[in-house]
Amino acid sequence: MHKLVQNSLKLMLAGSLIMPQMLLAQKDKQAIAKQMERSARVQLLDKWYPRSVDTAYGGFLSAFTYDFKVAPDQHKMIVTQARHVWSNAKAALFYPNVPYFKADAKHGFLFLRDKMWDKQNGGFYTYTDRQGNVAENSFAPKESYGNSFAIYGLAAYYQASGDTAALNLAKQTFWWLEKHAHDPVNKGYFQHMEMDGTVIKRTADFPSTSDKGYKDQNTSIHLLEAFTELYTVWPDSLLRERLKEMLFLVRDKITTPKGYLTLFFQPDWTPVSTRDSTTTSILKHRYLDHVSFGHDVETAYLMLEASHVLGLGHDEATLKIAKRMVDHSLKNGWDNKVGGFYDEGYYFKDQPGISIIKDGKNWWAQAEGLNSLLMMSTLYPKDELKYYDKFKQLWTYVQTYLIDHQHGDWYPGGIDKEPEMKTALKGQIWKGTYHNFRALMNCINQLKPDKMPPSVPQKITLKKLATGARLQWTASTDNRQFMGYNIYSNGKRIGYTPLTWFMVNTGDANTRYTVRAVDLQGNLSKPSNTVSK
């Protein structure tokens, strides 16, 4: 047989085998996406909203029993309240035909603005009673961590609504952190502050188990996350500088060479470690020093998201470390029998390798794991760790041991390890919808990728007003989920709005404005026609 014919037959045979495999893989992804779509809407969002909207005092109710009855303690924390704003704002974009998501987000924003923002000193209170009055707790009066989530929620609400009052409050919060919490010497941000913004410095009077006065990874990764969200709607030069600062700090300083996060630091970024202590002391101080697999897989995603939003292109350094973090978690904190990431590990000095010191599997770590494993499976489809297989195993684990198919939402921890979680609170100040809804939404978008950009904005005009000028255009359309418009001045992005108009400075005769539509998966339309003064 002629060699050319032989090669042709081989290619045809290979193709006949590959095509069915590709179709099966695609069917598999479509089936999981369908399961996740139902889980996100029916088993999660529909259980929480509008049920959790506090119609009496504003904001959202914090605590619910395992069967979604309102629990007695309804104190409110800035973290929870802002996360509910974020979830509703993103749900409004993901489900554009459901009107109450945007209304709920606005309801939450008003509580943040009117009750939780300190009108005298600036910054958001950490903890209040149900009515919004400052309440006592172990938290510091003001915390960078809580204020980061305020920025996160406010930016998302502006992204969905175009309400400039929310964007302005997000900017105020950023500037307040810049003034009070940013460390100009050692970089990063201090976590704990008094009511007037004074940084709380650690003293010998604090218990050794307290984190007061330390810098930490959790605040840092969520400032990274918040600045990423804010930069998508407000491309400010100082914000960009701080976003890059946090990315490089998390990537190069907070992440260890092995691929896990150091949890706490002295102000000069000296790690807080108990490794030279006795086992008893180490376990007593475990909150301050352990390997948190959930934070590691979450941070891998947050770093790559920040790098993308910054426009750093094919960022090999960030990609390499993000992969290392996921790999370390899989190799050291993964349950090979049924799947799932364990809560805590520790590298004891006198023992080889890592030891699991808490084998529970909290809900948020599994949610973040779903997103990061699927992301890695796309980036490294042939990797020996078989990310997609692990993703499927984790989704099976979540459906079997975490999702409450009777009452809705997820248990706080996997019931394979902690069966008592079946009757634990479904909602409390540390548990809402943010982790699992974000993970499901991101996974659905990855499983059902959309490469089609929105239509180009048309009929762009610039109308001079008494103050500035109004840029206006006709609405774009999209095949899936439309988001909004990026605004450019001489090719440089200067803003974002979901509306069909945007206020700009008139500039000079050489200032040329264009608009590009963007959808929820980040696809950009071609630029509109140019308009100038």
Side-chain angles (χ1 to χ4, degrees), residues 54 56-60 62 74-78 81 110-119 123-136 195:
D54 188 346
Y57 298 106
F60 298 89
S62 301
Q74 291 298 334
H75 278 77
K76 292 172 178 173
M77 182 170 65
I78 182 59
Q81 296 299 310
L110 294 175
F111 186 78
L112 296 187
R113 184 193 68 183
D114 298 339
K115 295 293 185 179
M116 298 207 78
W117 176 261
D118 184 344
K119 294 176 179 60
F124 283 94
Y125 303 123
T126 304
Y127 192 69
T128 72
D129 62 16
R130 181 177 174 182
Q131 290 79 7
N133 303 305
V134 176
E136 291 292 323
M195 199 65 77

Side-chain angles (χ1 to χ4, degrees), residues 66-304:
Y66 74 96
D67 55 354
F68 267 103
K69 293 182 175 61
V70 177
D73 184 3
Q74 291 298 334
H75 278 77
K76 292 172 178 173
M77 182 170 65
I78 182 59
V79 174
T80 334
Q81 296 299 310
R83 285 174 170 179
H84 280 305
V85 172
W86 183 91
S87 290
N88 277 280
K90 292 297 182 178
L93 292 168
F94 203 66
Y95 303 104
N97 296 323
V98 183
Y100 61 78
F101 287 131
K102 192 182 292 185
D104 290 355
K106 180 178 181 178
H107 177 88
F109 156 62
L110 294 175
F111 186 78
L112 296 187
R113 184 193 68 183
D114 298 339
K115 295 293 185 179
M116 298 207 78
W117 176 261
D118 184 344
K119 294 176 179 60
Q120 180 179 347
N121 299 297
F124 283 94
Y125 303 123
T126 304
Y127 192 69
T128 72
D129 62 16
R130 181 177 174 182
Q131 290 79 7
N133 303 305
V134 176
E136 291 292 323
N137 195 277
S138 59
F139 303 117
K142 304 271 177 70
E143 294 184 349
S144 293
Y145 180 81
N147 277 271
S148 76
F149 276 102
I151 291 173
Y152 192 56
L154 291 166
Y157 173 56
Y158 171 75
Q159 187 181 71
S161 68
D163 187 340
T164 53
L167 178 59
N168 289 336
L169 188 53
K171 293 177 183 179
Q172 276 186 269
T173 311
F174 171 75
W175 288 322
W176 188 86
L177 286 171
E178 180 69 20
K179 178 180 178 181
H180 296 284
H182 183 254
D183 183 347
V185 178
N186 296 302
K187 305 304 179 185
Y189 290 77
F190 299 106
Q191 157 69 334
H192 308 100
M193 288 162 282
E194 302 289 1
M195 199 65 77
D196 64 357
T198 301
V199 172
I200 296 174
K201 296 181 179 179
R202 192 171 181 85
T203 70
D205 296 330
F206 291 135
S208 62
T209 53
S210 170
D211 66 343
K212 288 280 179 70
Y214 289 142
K215 288 178 179 174
D216 67 286
Q217 61 83 22
N218 206 19
T219 298
S220 300
I221 67 171
H222 290 298
L223 283 166
L224 174 70
E225 170 188 54
F227 293 171
T228 299
E229 191 77 63
L230 184 57
Y231 192 69
T232 62
V233 296
W234 181 48
D236 176 74
S237 59
L238 179 60
L239 174 60
R240 180 181 176 83
E241 185 180 327
R242 294 290 175 258
L243 177 54
K244 288 177 68 176
E245 178 182 313
M246 296 312 298
L247 172 60
F248 299 149
L249 188 61
V250 170
R251 189 190 74 186
D252 303 333
K253 177 76 72 173
I254 297 176
T255 302
T256 66
K258 285 182 182 291
Y260 65 90
L261 296 162
T262 302
L263 300 189
F264 289 93
F265 299 83
Q266 302 290 350
D268 65 355
W269 295 105
T270 300
V272 173
S273 173
T274 58
R275 197 160 183 261
D276 291 329
S277 305
T278 63
T279 300
T280 301
S281 180
I282 287 170
L283 295 178
K284 178 184 176 182
H285 296 87
R286 65 196 298 166
Y287 171 70
L288 298 176
D289 182 25
H290 66 266
V291 177
S292 176
F293 303 109
H295 284 114
D296 296 340
V297 295
E298 178 182 20
T299 301
Y301 159 69
L302 295 178
M303 290 194 308
L304 291 174

